[in-house]
Amino acid sequence: DDDEPDPDGETPDDQTDQSTDQAADQAGDQTDPDVDLDDPDAVEIVPPTEPVRGGIAQFFGVTEEHDRFDPHRSRFQQSQTYFSLSYNRLLHPSTISDGAFEPDLAGILPETPDGDTHIFSLNPEARFWDDDLTRGRKFTGEDVRFNIERQKAALDADGNPDLLFYRRDDWGKVVSIDTENEVVTLRTGGPDSTLYDVLAGPWGWMVSPEGTEEFGNRWRDNTQVYQFASGTGPYIPVGFVANGDVSFIRSENWWGDGAFADGVIIRRVPTQSLAQSYTSGQ
């Protein structure tokens, strides 16, 4: 609201009008004079050449086919969908079908100096969520050790055998774990072509030790409480309704590529209205 003229004798309103006129003139210079801007079919819509951050991605999901939010003790496919948004593994499949792997929490593919030694250099940018448990700290080799040994031991928080660790024998392939700074060395009892399938498989998600220590057996008993999640992935669960929607919000300290949507909602839509939900854009 300063109406005093500037040294050149122009008021702020004059400057704004002049900028607007210049922008309009530039737009006019770039417009085909033969195009009718009132005709929507006459204007070519040019999509962005790169992904744009923002929006809420919505997907269909059978949310009642979910067992628990502890990724080491879950076995339902729908739950794996949730984990894929919230957690990372050392490796992940490059595609759904070709059998190749790409680094995930590992910064590069592992070195294999011999048939039973696998050396992983961790991604130095990898972080847990910035929550009250981990406060966004780095993912370390000790986190790898904790996750593997947790599944090998297959014990509940009271130290009793827990049969929900369904892949205990698979993780038993790892006979020793050495960590030094951001380097993790896994050794097997001999050449094993299936080790990377375990590391990159649906039970390879890495959780925070702080989360398991804080929540203990509640991960077992309260199977639908999303607040027990504690990962490194791009999306944090913020809502769960049994037979309803599951909601996620983008982690503000996500360290990887992609994750362009600000949120994800997985919707349980009644079968009879599913087609209409797709055609209406829900």
Side-chain angles (χ1 to χ4, degrees), residues 59-64 78 82 244 266-269:
F59 302 97
F60 170 75
V62 186
T63 55
E64 63 267 31
Q78 185 62 58
Y82 310 155
I266 299 176
R267 295 196 178 279
R268 179 59 172 116
V269 181

Side-chain angles (χ1 to χ4, degrees), residues 65-81:
E65 295 183 3
H66 158 72
D67 51 359
R68 54 187 51 84
F69 277 99
D70 182 347
H72 295 168
R73 297 157 60 243
S74 166
R75 43 178 194 152
F76 282 20
Q77 182 176 354
Q78 185 62 58
S79 303
Q80 296 299 322
T81 300

